[in-house]
Amino acid sequence: LDPAMAMKSTLILASFGGLYLIMRYFLSQSALRGQTVLALSIGTSVVFLMALWQNVASLRGWTSYMVMEGRPNSTFFEADWLGLFSALIILFCTAGVWYSFKKKYHRREVFGFIALMVLLFVSWMVLMLTVARSAWLATVVGLAVLFIGGVY
């Protein structure tokens, strides 16, 4: 084993743990929950719009900055990572839609529900455009776990 590579992998793993703890803190604070969801939604929208732009640019013959032609990677290094990100967003949005129907929030928060549905639709589009079969499988397994577990 290369010590430098082992240190790099350890730092990446530690950063994921740190991000988890930060997100857990922000989502546990009721005052910060809405701001956290808004920030995540805006960031996700930018990533997905970049992926859609890459596809349009590729179809028109413009410089699309794709790593692998025909598979958008947006702000990620590879299309597979974008596919994984899309799969996670699909699962979060599906859980949100299910929860809003369960609590009847879709009647009170119409704009938020429509935004959630648009984000869900765009997530599915980006997932299909990435051609990341492992992300497709992760989405199917994740949806099965959500529905078998009853979401909440």
Side-chain angles (χ1 to χ4, degrees):
L1 284 178
D2 181 23
M5 187 59 117
M7 179 58 103
K8 181 180 175 183
S9 297
T10 304
L11 287 174
I12 290 172
L13 185 61
S15 70
F16 282 134
L19 286 173
Y20 168 75
L21 292 174
I22 289 170
M23 286 304 298
R24 185 177 170 132
Y25 172 75
F26 279 126
L27 291 176
S28 68
Q29 305 294 321
S30 62
L32 298 175
R33 191 173 299 137
Q35 295 173 356
T36 304
V37 170
L38 180 64
L40 286 173
S41 299
I42 291 171
T44 300
S45 299
V46 169
V47 169
F48 287 161
L49 287 174
M50 175 75 177
L52 294 175
W53 177 85
Q54 281 180 323
N55 263 318
V56 170
S58 177
L59 289 174
R60 296 202 176 227
W62 303 336
T63 304
S64 61
Y65 304 104
M66 288 186 196
V67 173
M68 184 181 294
E69 198 61 37
R71 295 181 66 195
N73 59 306
S74 186
T75 59
F76 295 95
F77 289 115
E78 291 184 9
D80 294 332
W81 288 97
L82 177 61
L84 175 66
F85 181 72
S86 299
L88 289 173
I89 297 301
I90 287 169
L91 295 176
F92 287 142
C93 289
T94 302
V97 167
W98 185 318
Y99 188 73
S100 69
F101 273 115
K102 186 176 178 181
K103 297 291 184 180
K104 298 193 183 349
Y105 287 147
H106 65 286
R107 294 181 184 166
R108 287 182 269 159
E109 298 289 334
V110 176
F111 177 75
F113 183 74
I114 291 172
L116 188 64
M117 293 300 290
V118 167
L119 187 59
L120 182 62
F121 177 73
V122 172
S123 301
W124 275 106
M125 277 182 24
V126 170
L127 180 65
M128 292 300 127
L129 291 173
T130 61
V131 194
R133 294 180 305 263
S134 58
W136 296 349
L137 180 63
T139 305
V140 169
V141 170
L143 289 172
V145 168
L146 280 177
F147 291 125
I148 289 170
V151 179
Y152 285 8

